[in-house]
Amino acid sequence: MRRSATRLLALVFCAALALICLRALLAALSPSPVVAYMNLADGLPAVIVQDLRHNLSLRLDHGYLTEPSFSPDGARLAMTEYLRFGSDIVVYDLRSAATRKLTDSEAIAESPAWSPDGAWIAFASNRDGDNEIYVIRPDGLDRRRLTEHQASDREPAWAPDSKSLVFSSNRSGSWDLYRIELETGELRQLTSHRAFDTSPDWSPDGQRVVFASRRDGASSIYLLELATGAVEPLVVESRYDSLPRWTPDGMAVSFARSVDGVSQIMLVEIASGLVTQLDLGGADADALVWARNG
């Protein structure tokens, strides 16, 4: 009797262990996409982290937060925290709820972007007078200024190899896109147009940059082929579309669309051009980003 009970317990244990392993394998093969975005449901900016497949969400109640950027492992977020005067870059640990402030509230610091290798966080700041691009370690050490110009440099985004950044600047008289090498500081202008080219994001394969522009009147979404410099429209409508971001697989781009004063997140498939609305439970959402391991 005792031997039968022991065998039964062993079988139950093995079955449970097999089920756990199977679930882990399925999760690894088909990971759930996770996003973070700014929400204005209460009239004040807050960041929401949401598991799209399981409809689970977490609201970060630390200060007035926007412009989230995931660490490569998806465990932390770099964000802009609005202050009474200016703004700071902060890092929030999703596991421990601990927050680290990376800048010192002396000026405006905004648009954080976590490098794919996890080594740096790029951001824009006017701490030295003009708005420039900086990088800093996630622990707040080794802050470096990458650009130095009397114009305004904004919205840095990393190359997949973490060796260069693309950003928007009005140093040519209009807002265009530029590329800067992290180690050498070598600078190259990528676009040249009288319309505003802003909000760049580098594709996961490193071949293209998606950005927003008013080239066709209203703010629309465009693709820049880095090898040729060719620019082609991705989404052009009479509505206001902005803040494009690649999905981790590079198959689609999400962007914010203003509809009757409410911001919605749309998704456009690169291959087909099909545009759909991302289901976020009806939230007024903006500045959405994707976890790289999603």
Side-chain angles (χ1 to χ4, degrees):
M1 183 71 178
R2 183 177 298 176
R3 182 176 300 175
S4 298
T6 302
R7 287 179 178 174
L8 180 60
L9 288 174
L11 288 174
V12 170
F13 175 79
C14 291
L17 183 60
L19 181 59
I20 292 172
C21 292
L22 179 60
R23 288 177 175 175
L25 177 61
L26 291 174
L29 293 174
S30 181
S32 182
V34 176
V35 298
Y37 56 90
M38 184 190 72
N39 175 253
L40 289 170
D42 299 327
L44 296 172
V47 166
I48 308 295
V49 180
Q50 187 164 335
D51 180 323
L52 295 180
R53 181 164 299 150
H54 303 107
N55 198 26
L56 301 173
S57 63
L58 170 68
R59 179 186 177 93
L60 307 185
D61 292 321
H62 172 81
Y64 303 147
L65 302 172
T66 185
E67 299 183 313
S69 177
F70 279 102
S71 61
D73 63 1
R76 290 175 290 172
L77 282 171
M79 296 174 285
T80 300
E81 181 182 19
Y82 290 135
L83 307 169
R84 185 175 181 183
F85 301 104
S87 56
D88 270 330
I89 304 300
V90 298
V91 170
Y92 183 90
D93 192 313
L94 294 167
R95 299 161 298 189
S96 67
T99 301
R100 178 192 296 271
K101 187 167 70 169
L102 300 188
T103 56
D104 44 22
S105 309
E106 294 179 352
I108 293 174
E110 60 188 1
S111 304
W114 212 308
S115 64
D117 64 6
W120 297 98
I121 294 172
F123 65 99
S125 177
N126 65 353
R127 62 183 302 114
D128 292 317
D130 302 309
N131 217 64
E132 310 286 1
I133 304 299
Y134 296 78
V135 291
I136 194 170
R137 299 290 186 185
D139 60 6
L141 300 177
D142 298 336
R143 185 181 67 230
R144 293 168 47 190
R145 184 172 67 183
L146 296 186
T147 63
E148 188 171 358
H149 198 279
Q150 67 270 22
S152 186
D153 300 333
R154 299 180 181 273
E155 305 174 307
W158 288 94
D161 63 6
S162 301
K163 294 181 178 180
S164 57
L165 289 148
V166 61
F167 63 95
S168 61
S169 176
N170 64 351
R171 59 178 65 203
S172 64
S174 182
W175 286 94
D176 291 304
L177 304 185
Y178 293 79
R179 176 178 182 171
I180 189 168
E181 301 297 324
L182 184 63
E183 293 303 321
T184 66
E186 180 184 353
L187 186 71
R188 182 158 60 97
Q189 187 171 348
L190 299 180
T191 65
S192 180
H193 199 280
R194 65 182 182 275
F196 287 7
D197 295 341
T198 59
S199 303
D201 193 41
W202 217 307
S203 64
D205 63 9
Q207 298 180 11
R208 293 175 286 186
V209 169
V210 67
F211 64 98
S213 179
R214 294 178 178 271
R215 292 169 180 242
D216 291 289
S219 180
S220 301
I221 310 300
Y222 294 81
L223 286 175
L224 165 67
E225 292 285 345
L226 290 171
T228 64
V231 172
E232 57 184 48
L234 182 59
V235 179
V236 176
E237 294 193 12
S238 59
R239 308 183 190 190
Y240 188 87
D241 296 335
S242 61
L243 300 174
R245 292 293 180 266
W246 291 93
T247 56
D249 59 9
M251 303 296 290
V253 167
S254 61
F255 60 94
R257 168 170 288 176
S258 180
V259 180
D260 298 327
V262 176
S263 182
Q264 301 174 351
I265 300 299
M266 313 300 292
L267 194 69
V268 54
E269 296 178 3
I270 299 299
S272 67
L274 177 66
V275 177
T276 56
Q277 183 177 349
L278 197 63
D279 184 10
L280 299 174
D284 184 353
D286 204 347
L288 182 138
V289 294
W290 300 78
R292 292 188 183 100
N293 62 343

